[in-house]
Protein backbone atom coordinates (compact mmCIF):
# COMPACT_ATOMS: atom_id res chain seq x y z
CA UNK A 1 0.00 0.00 0.00
CA UNK A 2 1.46 3.36 -0.99
CA UNK A 3 2.38 5.97 1.65
CA UNK A 4 0.34 9.11 1.95
CA UNK A 5 2.53 12.06 1.22
CA UNK A 6 1.94 15.00 3.55
CA UNK A 7 2.29 18.29 1.85
CA UNK A 8 5.09 20.31 3.37
CA UNK A 9 4.11 23.71 4.70
CA UNK A 10 6.30 26.70 4.98
CA UNK A 11 7.58 27.49 8.52
CA UNK A 12 7.84 31.19 7.70
CA UNK A 13 5.77 33.34 10.07
CA UNK A 14 4.69 36.80 9.05
CA UNK A 15 5.87 39.09 11.89
CA UNK A 16 4.44 42.28 10.42
CA UNK A 17 1.46 42.35 12.79
CA UNK A 18 3.68 41.59 15.81
CA UNK A 19 6.04 44.41 14.86
CA UNK A 20 3.12 46.83 14.67
CA UNK A 21 1.95 45.77 18.15
CA UNK A 22 5.48 46.13 19.56
CA UNK A 23 5.85 49.65 18.19
CA UNK A 24 2.43 50.63 19.56
CA UNK A 25 3.28 49.27 23.02
CA UNK A 26 6.67 51.02 23.01
CA UNK A 27 5.03 54.31 22.02
CA UNK A 28 2.40 53.89 24.74
CA UNK A 29 4.96 53.32 27.50
CA UNK A 30 7.13 56.23 26.31
CA UNK A 31 4.19 58.63 26.36
CA UNK A 32 2.78 57.50 29.72
CA UNK A 33 6.01 56.97 31.68
CA UNK A 34 7.23 59.45 34.28
CA UNK A 35 10.90 60.09 33.63
CA UNK A 36 13.34 60.50 36.51
CA UNK A 37 14.06 64.18 37.01
CA UNK A 38 17.67 65.29 36.93
CA UNK A 39 19.21 66.34 40.26
CA UNK A 40 22.28 68.56 40.75
CA UNK A 41 24.17 65.93 42.74
CA UNK A 42 23.94 62.19 43.39
CA UNK A 43 22.62 61.32 46.84
CA UNK A 44 22.69 57.81 48.33
CA UNK A 45 19.89 57.69 50.88
CA UNK A 46 20.30 55.74 54.15
CA UNK A 47 18.56 52.39 54.50
CA UNK A 48 15.64 51.62 56.79
CA UNK A 49 12.95 48.99 57.30
CA UNK A 50 10.12 51.39 56.45
CA UNK A 51 8.19 50.42 53.34
CA UNK A 52 6.03 53.56 53.25
CA UNK A 53 6.39 55.20 49.86
CA UNK A 54 6.94 58.91 49.40
CA UNK A 55 4.27 60.26 47.01
CA UNK A 56 5.26 61.36 43.53
CA UNK A 57 2.75 64.22 43.30
CA UNK A 58 2.06 67.33 45.40
CA UNK A 59 5.53 67.11 46.92
CA UNK A 60 8.24 69.51 48.08
CA UNK A 61 11.66 67.82 48.05
CA UNK A 62 14.64 69.21 49.98
CA UNK A 63 17.90 67.71 48.69
CA UNK A 64 20.94 67.80 50.99
CA UNK A 65 24.22 67.16 49.20
CA UNK A 66 26.88 64.85 50.57
CA UNK A 67 30.63 65.42 50.77
CA UNK A 68 32.40 65.38 47.42
CA UNK A 69 33.36 61.80 46.51
CA UNK A 70 35.25 62.61 43.32
CA UNK A 71 38.60 63.03 45.06
CA UNK A 72 39.14 66.38 43.33
CA UNK A 73 38.80 68.46 46.50
CA UNK A 74 41.40 68.69 49.25
CA UNK A 75 38.54 69.19 51.70
CA UNK A 76 35.47 67.16 50.56
CA UNK A 77 33.30 68.79 53.25
CA UNK A 78 33.28 72.02 51.18
CA UNK A 79 30.55 70.48 49.03
CA UNK A 80 28.70 69.00 51.99
CA UNK A 81 25.28 70.02 53.20
CA UNK A 82 24.26 72.24 50.29
CA UNK A 83 20.52 72.56 49.90
CA UNK A 84 18.32 72.34 46.82
CA UNK A 85 14.54 72.45 46.63
CA UNK A 86 11.97 71.25 44.12
CA UNK A 87 8.20 71.56 43.78
CA UNK A 88 6.07 68.88 42.13
CA UNK A 89 2.36 69.20 41.47
CA UNK A 90 0.03 66.79 39.76
CA UNK A 91 0.06 66.54 35.98
CA UNK A 92 -3.56 65.38 36.00
CA UNK A 93 -4.96 68.18 38.15
CA UNK A 94 -5.42 71.95 38.16
CA UNK A 95 -2.25 72.21 40.28
CA UNK A 96 0.40 71.12 37.80
CA UNK A 97 4.09 71.30 38.70
CA UNK A 98 4.54 74.48 36.68
CA UNK A 99 1.63 76.20 38.42
CA UNK A 100 2.87 75.16 41.88
CA UNK A 101 6.38 76.42 41.09
CA UNK A 102 4.99 79.74 39.90
CA UNK A 103 2.92 80.17 43.07
CA UNK A 104 5.90 79.33 45.31
CA UNK A 105 8.24 81.66 43.42
CA UNK A 106 5.90 84.65 43.53
CA UNK A 107 5.30 84.21 47.26
CA UNK A 108 8.99 83.66 48.07
CA UNK A 109 10.09 86.74 46.10
CA UNK A 110 7.45 88.81 47.89
CA UNK A 111 8.68 87.64 51.32
CA UNK A 112 12.35 88.14 50.41
CA UNK A 113 11.81 91.66 49.06
CA UNK A 114 9.83 92.62 52.16
CA UNK A 115 12.84 91.71 54.30
CA UNK A 116 15.47 93.14 51.93
CA UNK A 117 13.98 96.46 50.90
CA UNK A 118 17.40 97.83 49.90
CA UNK A 119 18.33 94.76 47.84
CA UNK A 120 15.10 93.80 46.19
CA UNK A 121 15.18 91.37 43.29
CA UNK A 122 12.99 91.64 40.21
CA UNK A 123 12.43 88.81 37.75
CA UNK A 124 11.27 89.22 34.18
CA UNK A 125 8.34 87.24 32.80
CA UNK A 126 10.81 85.08 30.86
CA UNK A 127 12.84 84.33 33.99
CA UNK A 128 9.67 83.34 35.84
CA UNK A 129 8.66 81.13 32.94
CA UNK A 130 12.09 79.46 33.01
CA UNK A 131 11.81 78.85 36.75
CA UNK A 132 8.51 77.01 36.24
CA UNK A 133 10.31 74.50 34.00
CA UNK A 134 13.17 73.79 36.43
CA UNK A 135 12.90 70.62 38.48
CA UNK A 136 15.26 71.67 41.27
CA UNK A 137 16.81 75.01 42.29
CA UNK A 138 19.61 75.66 44.75
CA UNK A 139 21.02 79.19 44.77
CA UNK A 140 20.71 82.27 47.02
CA UNK A 141 17.86 84.62 46.10
CA UNK A 142 20.41 87.27 45.10
CA UNK A 143 21.68 84.92 42.37
CA UNK A 144 18.26 83.95 40.99
CA UNK A 145 18.09 86.58 38.20
CA UNK A 146 21.54 85.63 36.89
CA UNK A 147 20.92 81.88 37.09
CA UNK A 148 17.52 82.10 35.42
CA UNK A 149 19.08 84.08 32.58
CA UNK A 150 21.45 81.20 31.78
CA UNK A 151 20.79 78.61 29.12
CA UNK A 152 19.72 75.16 30.32
CA UNK A 153 23.20 73.74 29.72
CA UNK A 154 24.93 76.59 31.55
CA UNK A 155 22.47 76.36 34.45
CA UNK A 156 22.94 72.60 34.87
CA UNK A 157 26.72 72.98 34.80
CA UNK A 158 26.62 75.83 37.31
CA UNK A 159 24.38 74.10 39.86
CA UNK A 160 26.29 70.80 39.66
CA UNK A 161 29.50 72.51 40.83
CA UNK A 162 29.36 71.87 44.57
CA UNK A 163 32.61 73.80 45.10
CA UNK A 164 31.03 77.10 44.01
CA UNK A 165 30.01 79.22 47.05
CA UNK A 166 27.06 80.58 45.03
CA UNK A 167 25.56 77.08 44.76
CA UNK A 168 23.18 75.96 47.50
CA UNK A 169 20.35 77.67 49.38
CA UNK A 170 21.80 79.52 52.43
CA UNK A 171 20.74 78.13 55.81
CA UNK A 172 21.63 78.83 59.44
CA UNK A 173 20.31 78.00 62.90
CA UNK A 174 17.92 80.97 63.09
CA UNK A 175 14.91 80.09 65.24
CA UNK A 176 13.06 83.42 65.12
CA UNK A 177 10.15 82.91 62.74
CA UNK A 178 9.18 86.58 62.88
CA UNK A 179 12.69 87.99 62.45
CA UNK A 180 15.08 88.10 59.49
CA UNK A 181 14.73 84.74 57.75
CA UNK A 182 17.51 82.90 55.96
CA UNK A 183 16.93 82.00 52.30
CA UNK A 184 15.84 78.45 53.11
CA UNK A 185 13.29 79.73 55.61
CA UNK A 186 11.96 82.17 53.01
CA UNK A 187 11.12 79.20 50.78
CA UNK A 188 9.56 77.39 53.75
CA UNK A 189 7.42 80.39 54.66
CA UNK A 190 6.31 80.61 51.03
CA UNK A 191 5.28 76.94 51.18
CA UNK A 192 3.37 77.54 54.41
CA UNK A 193 1.62 80.65 53.09
CA UNK A 194 0.66 79.04 49.76
CA UNK A 195 -0.73 75.97 51.54
CA UNK A 196 -2.78 78.14 53.89
CA UNK A 197 -4.05 80.28 51.01
CA UNK A 198 -5.08 77.20 49.05
CA UNK A 199 -6.98 75.90 52.06
CA UNK A 200 -8.73 79.20 52.81
CA UNK A 201 -9.19 80.42 49.25
CA UNK A 202 -12.68 80.75 47.84
CA UNK A 203 -13.12 78.01 45.24
CA UNK A 204 -16.16 79.32 43.44
CA UNK A 205 -16.45 78.05 39.90
CA UNK A 206 -14.36 74.94 40.58
CA UNK A 207 -15.72 71.44 40.32
CA UNK A 208 -15.88 69.10 43.29
CA UNK A 209 -12.89 67.21 41.88
CA UNK A 210 -10.81 70.39 41.59
CA UNK A 211 -11.71 71.44 45.14
CA UNK A 212 -10.65 68.00 46.32
CA UNK A 213 -7.28 68.36 44.60
CA UNK A 214 -6.68 71.70 46.33
CA UNK A 215 -7.61 70.16 49.67
CA UNK A 216 -5.32 67.17 49.06
CA UNK A 217 -2.31 69.44 48.58
CA UNK A 218 -2.99 71.29 51.84
CA UNK A 219 -3.53 68.03 53.74
CA UNK A 220 -0.33 66.50 52.36
CA UNK A 221 1.75 69.57 53.24
CA UNK A 222 0.33 70.51 56.62
CA UNK A 223 -1.25 67.47 58.24
CA UNK A 224 0.01 64.13 56.95
CA UNK A 225 3.70 64.92 56.57
CA UNK A 226 3.61 63.52 53.03
CA UNK A 227 4.03 66.84 51.26
CA UNK A 228 7.62 67.58 52.30
CA UNK A 229 10.43 65.04 51.87
CA UNK A 230 14.06 65.38 52.94
CA UNK A 231 16.53 63.54 50.72
CA UNK A 232 19.96 63.48 52.36
CA UNK A 233 23.00 61.32 51.70
CA UNK A 234 23.72 58.52 54.17
CA UNK A 235 27.17 60.03 54.81
CA UNK A 236 25.91 63.56 55.48
CA UNK A 237 26.56 64.46 59.15
CA UNK A 238 23.45 64.38 61.30
CA UNK A 239 24.15 67.94 62.50
CA UNK A 240 23.53 69.18 58.95
CA UNK A 241 20.28 67.25 58.60
CA UNK A 242 19.25 68.34 62.10
CA UNK A 243 19.62 71.98 61.05
CA UNK A 244 17.23 71.33 58.16
CA UNK A 245 14.76 69.75 60.60
CA UNK A 246 15.07 72.71 62.99
CA UNK A 247 14.41 75.19 60.19
CA UNK A 248 11.30 73.27 59.13
CA UNK A 249 9.96 73.24 62.69
CA UNK A 250 10.78 76.93 63.16
CA UNK A 251 8.53 77.69 60.19
CA UNK A 252 5.74 75.52 61.67
CA UNK A 253 6.21 72.74 59.13
CA UNK A 254 6.38 70.03 61.77
CA UNK A 255 5.43 67.02 59.65
CA UNK A 256 7.75 65.78 56.92
CA UNK A 257 9.29 62.59 55.57
CA UNK A 258 12.88 61.40 55.32
CA UNK A 259 13.64 59.48 52.15
CA UNK A 260 15.37 56.14 52.73
CA UNK A 261 16.20 52.98 50.81
CA UNK A 262 14.75 49.64 51.89
CA UNK A 263 17.19 47.74 54.11
CA UNK A 264 18.13 44.24 52.97
CA UNK A 265 17.84 41.20 55.27
CA UNK A 266 21.61 40.71 55.61
CA UNK A 267 22.29 44.38 56.39
CA UNK A 268 23.22 45.05 60.04
CA UNK A 269 20.68 46.89 62.14
CA UNK A 270 23.27 49.17 63.77
Amino acid sequence: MGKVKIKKKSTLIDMTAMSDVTVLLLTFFMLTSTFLQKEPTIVYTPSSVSEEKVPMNNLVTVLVSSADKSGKLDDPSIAEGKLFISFTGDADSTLSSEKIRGMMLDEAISIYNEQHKNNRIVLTDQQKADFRTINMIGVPFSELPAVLSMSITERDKFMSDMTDPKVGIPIDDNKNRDGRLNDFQVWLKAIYNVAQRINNEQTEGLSAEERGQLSNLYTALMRKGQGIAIKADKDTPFTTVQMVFDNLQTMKLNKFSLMTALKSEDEPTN
Side-chain angles (χ1 to χ4, degrees), residues 44-108:
Y44 298 97
T45 54
S47 56
S48 75
V49 295
S50 174
E51 297 184 16
E52 185 175 347
K53 293 183 179 180
V54 175
M56 299 296 293
N57 301 323
N58 297 332
L59 179 69
V60 177
T61 304
V62 179
L63 182 74
V64 187
S65 71
S66 65
D68 183 77
K69 298 181 176 67
S70 65
K72 297 179 181 179
L73 293 175
D74 295 331
D75 182 6
S77 65
I78 293 175
E80 191 174 86
K82 296 202 172 187
L83 301 187
F84 302 83
I85 195 167
S86 72
F87 308 99
T88 305
D90 191 339
D92 298 326
S93 78
T94 56
L95 291 176
S96 64
S97 295
E98 290 194 4
K99 187 171 182 179
I100 288 291
R101 290 167 190 157
M103 294 167 67
M104 296 297 182
L105 177 64
D106 290 341
E107 183 66 22

Side-chain angles (χ1 to χ4, degrees), residues 20 61 80-81 83 90 114-115 145 176 200 202 228 231 239 244:
D20 291 342
T61 304
E80 191 174 86
L83 301 187
D90 191 339
E114 183 65 27
Q115 297 197 352
N176 182 6
N200 299 329
Q202 296 295 324
I228 300 177
K231 186 177 182 180
T239 52
V244 175

Side-chain angles (χ1 to χ4, degrees), residues 9 19 41 50 77 103 107 112 126 164 179 197 228 252:
K9 296 182 178 180
S19 299
T41 182
S50 174
S77 65
M103 294 167 67
E107 183 66 22
Y112 180 86
Q126 183 58 51
D164 194 321
R197 187 180 305 129
I228 300 177
K252 296 185 178 180

Side-chain angles (χ1 to χ4, degrees), residues 142-205:
S142 57
E143 298 297 324
L144 264 180
V147 171
L148 294 176
S149 296
M150 296 178 181
S151 66
I152 296 176
T153 304
E154 292 173 334
R155 191 184 305 132
D156 287 346
K157 183 178 180 180
F158 172 78
M159 284 202 295
S160 63
D161 184 3
M162 297 295 115
T163 64
D164 194 321
K166 296 180 181 179
V167 173
I169 300 173
I171 185 174
D172 55 33
D173 58 358
N174 173 54
K175 294 186 179 180
N176 182 6
R177 185 176 186 269
D178 299 318
R180 176 65 70 91
L181 305 178
N182 61 52
D183 283 21
F184 181 56
Q185 289 174 335
V186 170
W187 283 115
L188 297 181
K189 187 172 183 179
I191 294 167
Y192 183 90
N193 289 354
V194 168
Q196 290 287 354
R197 187 180 305 129
I198 286 173
N199 188 55
N200 299 329
E201 193 175 56
Q202 296 295 324
T203 55
E204 295 179 4

